[in-house]
Each structure stands twice: as C-alpha cells, then as structure tokens.
Amino acid sequence: MWDVDGRRYLDFLSAYSAVNQGHCHPRIVQALVEQSQKLSLTSRAFFNDALADYEEYITKLFGYDKVLPMNTGVEAGESAIKLAR
C-alpha cells in the first residue's frame, strides 16, 4: 500500500482468520473467485482433497515433520496446552 506522498509500505495487518485478501490485487481477487466457486471454507474435521497436498507442501517448505493448520490466538494456545499434556 502507499501513502498520500507515494511511499510504499508492506501491510502486515491481517484480518480475522484467513480472510485477509490484501488490497484487491486482481490476481488475488481472481483466485478468490475461482476458489469460492469450488469451496469457500472447510474445517479439518471434514475430509477435503487439498489438505494432504497442503500439508506435504508446507512441511517440505519449512523442513518440518508435521504441521497443524489452525487459526492463531485461542486455538493455538489450546493446542499448545494439549500437546504439553
């Protein structure tokens, strides 16, 4: 994003959960439209054919053994307590 004097800034402010789509960049908007025509949101409690591909990709990208996709905040804290127990 840019201020009134043309200075460029990176916007690291996210919205609720995973719905922050930035500032209407055409490629992001098009991806959003295409995805919403298939499935807009799902829970890990239900099977979907993209979760395993995502988990494989993200663990390889960061060199981790496992991943637990979730929201930040309360869910992250609850999961940390469960794992510690």
Side-chain angles (χ1 to χ4, degrees):
M1 69 190 219
W2 294 265
D3 68 11
V4 294
D5 296 319
R7 289 181 294 227
R8 183 176 177 214
Y9 294 88
L10 296 178
D11 182 3
F12 292 109
L13 179 66
S14 63
Y16 171 76
S17 187
V19 297
N20 182 17
Q21 303 302 327
H23 299 283
C24 297
H25 189 283
R27 286 176 49 198
I28 294 173
V29 171
Q30 183 61 37
L32 173 66
V33 169
E34 289 173 9
Q35 178 58 47
S36 66
Q37 291 171 341
K38 298 175 192 171
L39 180 65
S40 60
L41 181 62
T42 188
S43 164
R44 289 186 322 272
F46 302 100
F47 173 80
N48 74 66
D49 61 356
L51 181 59
D53 292 339
Y54 163 76
E55 290 172 336
E56 182 179 14
Y57 169 80
I58 205 73
T59 53
K60 286 181 180 177
L61 179 68
F62 290 112
Y64 294 147
D65 295 329
K66 300 175 185 175
V67 64
L68 178 59
M70 68 171 72
N71 297 334
T72 58
V74 174
E75 292 93 344
E78 288 174 349
S79 292
I81 291 169
K82 290 174 186 176
L83 289 170
R85 286 183 177 176

